[in-house]
Structure formats: structure tokens, C-alpha cells
Amino acid sequence: ILFVPIYKKKMLSKAAEHLNEKSGGAITRALQNGSFKGDKGNVLYLPTIRATLFGVGNLEENKPLDFIEIGANLIASTFGQTITEAFL
């Protein structure tokens, strides 16, 4: 499973841009069709590309403890899934 950061207001990270291109626009379509906005703590699993989008909000405004919260949300999003590899 891939963990892919998305910034506030649905702005794609470099990793998200690359995966979006390779997946034929799967990330862009998911962002257009849902309520996921990239706010800190948002998590959205895309089974078609085996990737979990996670919101980091406005990266410059985050404090160190915010990244612990983001990580906890990522872990919680994987409950019930069989994961053999994970990439961030």
C-alpha cells in the first residue's frame, strides 16, 4: 500500500502528481468526486491503485506534534487490511 500526501485545498504533492499521472488520473478523479480536501487528518483509501491519500493540511503551519496525529490517522486507516509492504 502506498501512503500519498495531499496538501490543503486538494493540492497534490510531487509523489501524488507522479502517481496520478501513472494511474491515468485516478487521484484527480477521486478528489473531484469526494469530500476529501487534504485537510490535516483526512484519509482516503483508493483500492483501484492500492494507495491511501492522507491530508497534511498546510505543510508550513504544521508543528511536530501534528505529524504524530497524521501518523496515527494513517495507522488507524489500515485496520482490517492485510498489508505486506507500505511505502511513504
Side-chain angles (χ1 to χ4, degrees):
I1 193 167
L2 291 172
F3 294 105
V4 184
I6 305 290
Y7 302 114
K8 191 173 184 174
K9 298 183 181 175
K10 303 181 182 184
M11 291 180 54
L12 301 185
S13 63
K14 293 290 183 192
E17 288 176 358
H18 180 74
L19 183 58
N20 190 52
E21 181 181 315
K22 295 293 182 185
S23 67
I27 293 174
T28 304
R29 284 191 302 278
L31 293 177
Q32 289 171 345
N33 295 330
S35 61
F36 182 93
K37 294 182 174 81
D39 294 332
K40 183 179 64 179
N42 286 166
V43 177
L44 176 65
Y45 179 63
L46 301 178
T48 56
I49 59 172
R50 291 187 41 119
T52 296
L53 308 181
F54 66 96
V56 294
N58 185 339
L59 195 57
E60 292 80 26
E61 294 176 3
N62 285 333
K63 296 176 178 41
L65 288 178
D66 293 329
F67 292 101
I68 293 172
E69 178 185 341
I70 291 167
N73 287 333
L74 287 177
I75 291 169
S77 75
T78 64
F79 289 150
Q81 296 181 40
T82 302
I83 298 175
T84 56
E85 294 180 300
F87 302 93
L88 178 62

